[in-house]
Amino acid sequence: RRGSTVAYSIMTEMTKKVLSESLKKLLITKPINKITVKDVVNNSKLSRQTFYYHFQDIYELLDWTIKTELKELLKNNKSDNWKKTIVDLLHYIQKNEPMLPCVIESIGFERFEYIIYPDLYKFCKNVINELTADTVIINKYKNFLANFQAVSLIGMILQWTKNGMKDDP
């Protein structure tokens, strides 16, 4: 029974990734508000029923795509490699350059921030906790610093994308 649950979970993730890749390809040529479920399923060779089994709409798929890929990038959040992690994040954005500016323009800054803030905050908080492990700092201040850094990173990312990502990450 357990083996079938694991296999089902893997198949679910694979199906979501196929839908996600389909959406990413479409976002290169169309704004999110012009992409339909039919476009995504036709491009992925999956059925509408499969799409709706996993996601309520295109925006939920978009949220899942960004959160999943961001979590993967931020999973190695040790204080000794936080700079590399941020550079990797910027390279990811650069690699997805045709998609991300369209996404930000389509869904707006607030929605983009809503999607990526929790993972960036967690990343910043973990780095701060690790760097200050031998120091007594009130948790309230650590939370403030993590919030400040996460919001600053989001602002930097948005400014960098608006300026055409000309600067090297």
Side-chain angles (χ1 to χ4, degrees):
R1 192 181 239 252
R2 175 139 167 81
S4 64
T5 303
V6 172
Y8 175 77
S9 179
I10 292 169
M11 290 301 292
T12 296
E13 284 301 303
M14 289 173 57
T15 302
K16 287 180 175 182
K17 285 182 182 183
V18 168
L19 292 166
S20 174
E21 287 303 315
S22 175
L23 176 64
K24 285 171 61 175
K25 286 177 189 170
L26 291 165
L27 282 166
I28 294 170
T29 58
K30 287 182 172 182
I32 188 94
N33 60 348
K34 300 286 186 205
I35 297 173
T36 64
V37 171
K38 183 178 180 181
D39 294 334
V40 172
V41 297
N42 285 346
N43 192 41
S44 68
K45 310 285 191 262
L46 296 172
S47 70
R48 288 177 70 84
Q49 183 178 0
T50 301
F51 179 93
Y52 286 114
Y53 181 78
H54 297 290
F55 301 104
Q56 290 181 353
D57 58 23
I58 295 292
Y59 291 96
E60 186 179 2
L61 172 58
L62 176 66
D63 287 4
W64 183 88
T65 299
I66 294 171
K67 284 179 182 179
T68 302
E69 292 181 358
L70 189 63
K71 274 185 181 160
E72 184 64 29
L73 284 166
L74 298 177
K75 72 179 179 183
N76 299 322
N77 55 4
K78 300 292 181 201
S79 62
D80 62 337
N81 68 354
W82 67 269
K83 291 177 189 175
K84 181 188 179 314
T85 301
I86 292 172
V87 170
D88 288 348
L89 173 63
L90 295 175
H91 280 296
Y92 163 78
I93 292 168
Q94 221 171 25
K95 178 182 158 203
N96 290 286
E97 188 263 330
M99 177 189 81
L100 281 172
C102 294
V103 168
I104 294 167
E105 190 175 312
S106 295
I107 65 174
F109 166 75
E110 292 81 14
R111 177 79 177 179
F112 181 74
E113 181 179 20
Y114 171 80
I115 293 169
I116 69 169
Y117 175 82
D119 292 315
L120 278 177
Y121 175 84
K122 182 179 175 187
F123 167 74
C124 293
K125 181 77 184 269
N126 288 341
V127 171
I128 289 167
N129 283 336
E130 206 172 297
L131 290 173
T132 61
D134 298 333
T135 309
V136 176
I137 299 176
I138 298 170
N139 206 38
K140 177 174 120 177
Y141 296 121
K142 289 182 183 181
N143 292 341
F144 171 80
L145 287 172
N147 179 60
F148 180 80
Q149 287 189 314
V151 171
S152 297
L153 279 169
I154 292 168
M156 183 192 76
I157 289 167
L158 290 171
Q159 192 64 39
W160 185 60
T161 57
K162 283 180 188 175
N163 291 331
M165 296 180 244
K166 294 175 186 143
D167 295 329
D168 185 54

